[in-house]
Amino acid sequence: NGTSMISLIIPPGEQIAKMQKKLIDEGGKASNIKSRVNRQSVEAAITSTRERLKLYSKTPTNGLVIYCGTVFSEDGRSEKKYTIDFEPFKPINRSLYYCGERFDVEPLKELLEDDKKFGFIVVDGNGALFATLQGLSLIHICRCRRIERCRSRWSPYH
């Protein structure tokens, strides 16, 4: 029963009807799954996702994310069905339909990346350091022993 977790992402401006059609097509493909248990599990997840999608007449401003599927306990003895839908906190510019053994949260992780850049300059009697910081990473750094040399090597537009 390893492929019954659906991740659905609809970017802002994309029509709900387009994704409903995609889910109908995927439901048709699911009917060809040989394993009865797996087929029923996938079909149930697709049906639940379509039902949740019906609650929306249009895509929210920042897009729409839906996760639907059955999660098993670590010992495999119990299961719980989840259907989660939400609008991301900022626009998600990626469309995704994934049916597999896990929810695909990678696009949400990308939203958490810091897109702001900060520049800083440290000057002392021995020279200067120019750097650009994005998130926790230094993305550009220039060290100069003598200030005169720095002028030709540094541009704030890197």
Side-chain angles (χ1 to χ4, degrees):
N1 193 11
T3 59
S4 61
M5 299 175 98
I6 293 178
S7 304
L8 184 70
I9 297 177
I10 305 172
E14 189 168 308
Q15 294 183 359
I16 298 287
K18 180 180 174 184
M19 199 53 77
Q20 280 283 17
K21 183 178 180 336
K22 171 79 173 163
L23 290 170
I24 290 168
D25 293 345
E26 291 297 324
K29 291 177 188 175
S31 65
N32 295 326
I33 296 172
K34 290 184 174 124
S35 164
R36 181 186 59 79
V37 173
N38 199 16
R39 180 180 59 250
Q40 289 174 340
S41 183
V42 171
E43 288 173 340
I46 290 172
T47 300
S48 294
T49 303
R50 287 185 61 214
E51 290 301 314
R52 185 59 58 105
L53 203 52
K54 285 180 183 177
L55 299 176
Y56 294 87
S57 59
K58 66 177 194 163
T59 307
T61 305
N62 291 335
L64 178 63
V65 178
I66 299 177
Y67 292 112
C68 181
T70 304
V71 178
F72 292 92
S73 65
E74 287 185 27
D75 62 7
R77 293 182 185 179
S78 63
E79 62 182 58
K80 182 163 180 152
K81 185 175 179 181
Y82 287 95
T83 303
I84 303 165
D85 61 300
F86 60 93
E87 178 182 355
F89 65 95
K90 67 181 182 180
I92 190 161
N93 297 314
R94 185 171 162 189
S95 182
L96 173 75
Y97 168 81
Y98 174 76
C99 183
E101 59 189 24
R102 61 175 179 75
F103 293 128
D104 187 350
V105 297
E106 202 58 40
L108 297 180
K109 287 181 183 178
E110 291 170 9
L111 288 181
L112 297 175
E113 291 177 4
D114 193 356
D115 54 355
K116 294 179 183 172
K117 294 181 183 178
F118 299 92
F120 61 94
I121 303 169
V122 178
V123 180
D124 67 9
N126 296 322
L129 172 102
F130 301 86
T132 306
L133 179 71
Q134 183 174 10
L136 298 175
S137 303
L138 283 172
I139 57 174
H140 186 269
I141 192 163
C142 175
R143 289 185 184 95
C144 300
R145 294 281 178 214
R146 295 191 353 216
I147 300 295
E148 308 85 58
R149 289 186 181 169
C150 292
R151 289 187 195 122
S152 63
R153 292 177 34 201
W154 173 258
S155 168
Y157 304 106
H158 278 89

